[in-house]
Amino acid sequence: QSVLTQPPSSSGTPGQRVTISCSGSSSNIGSNTINWYQQLPGTAPKLLIHSNNQRPSGVPDRFSGSKSGTSGALAISGLQSEDEADYFCAAWDDSLSGPVFGGGTKLTVL
Amino acid sequence: EVQLVETGGGLIQAGGSLRLSCTASGFSVSGYYMVWVRQAPGKGLEWIAFLYSIRDTYYADSVKGRFTISRDASKNTLYLQMDRLRAEDTAVYYCARGPSGYSYGSRFESWGQGALVTVSS
């Protein structure tokens, strides 16, 4: 079982806003930043959000991240069909001395 | 352009050994925090090993004592030596690079395409 907890699935219609949650503990999200990855079918993960809420160059501003306490969230506004993918959260864990990931959320665009 | 290319995956019997390579271009593997992450079929991501300096190597409990991460600066390549393989090691193995100036973390800016390792029991 994954150290960080995400809902296994989420869905929305084009143009809608969806939010994916990520829950952890004091040893990971509570004391370190969250990063989010997007994995399109059959491809490697791609960094989508880093340092809780920063977008790498080239990532549309439809994607945003937030963190509060031991939880975080990824928001996608103006949902598009190409956003259909798996999304993973990640954080450093001080107790495990390594990075930990969420189990992933499969986003379906209806 | 930063690029990572994994090779060495394949089908192996349980108890056997395999070495994965991750050849980098566009940067030097010696100067970055590098990690191996795996993804079992239909499952999530699992960190298994990371390396910053030759003295700073760390392993997940699931592979400790069986897997070894290393790098060869002259070949600009990261390796993962996998011994005593088990069926539960079956996964796509990715190498990834941390950002400049970081010696640890969960932020990986570049990923390889992945190498499939299948361990038959």
Side-chain angles (χ1 to χ4, degrees), chain B residues 33-89:
Chain B
Y33 163 54
M34 301 293 297
V35 67
W36 286 97
V37 173
R38 69 184 180 185
Q39 186 172 32
K43 302 294 185 183
L45 302 172
E46 177 192 17
W47 157 73
I48 54 172
F50 73 82
L51 174 154
Y52 178 62
S53 73
I54 204 68
R55 287 180 297 277
D56 292 317
T57 59
Y58 296 86
Y59 301 91
D61 286 345
S62 58
V63 306
K64 198 174 295 183
R66 299 188 299 123
F67 289 12
T68 304
I69 187 173
S70 64
R71 63 185 165 200
D72 184 334
S74 67
K75 293 184 168 65
N76 209 24
T77 298
L78 180 75
Y79 299 102
L80 183 69
Q81 176 66 40
M82 303 184 291
D83 299 320
R84 302 197 301 279
L85 281 159
R86 305 167 180 166
E88 55 263 35
D89 295 320

Side-chain angles (χ1 to χ4, degrees), chain A residues 33-40 43-60 63-65 74 85-92 99-101, chain B residues 4 33 35 45 94-100 102 105-112:
Chain A
T33 59
I34 301 175
N35 300 297
W36 289 92
Y37 297 89
Q38 178 192 57
Q39 186 175 34
L40 297 170
T43 69
K46 168 193 162 186
L47 182 65
L48 192 66
I49 296 287
H50 70 84
S51 308
N52 300 329
N53 54 19
Q54 302 298 303
R55 286 185 310 277
S57 172
V59 173
F63 296 90
S64 62
L74 171 71
D86 293 323
Y87 293 86
F88 296 90
C89 59
W92 180 263
V100 291
F101 293 91
Chain B
L4 296 166
Y33 163 54
V35 67
L45 302 172
Y94 296 100
C95 63
R97 191 200 84 172
S100 175
Y102 281 60
S106 66
R107 175 180 163 185
F108 305 116
E109 299 183 328
S110 299
W111 295 67

Side-chain angles (χ1 to χ4, degrees), chain A residues 66-78:
Chain A
S66 63
K67 171 186 154 178
S68 178
T70 58
S71 295
L74 171 71
I76 310 172
S77 60

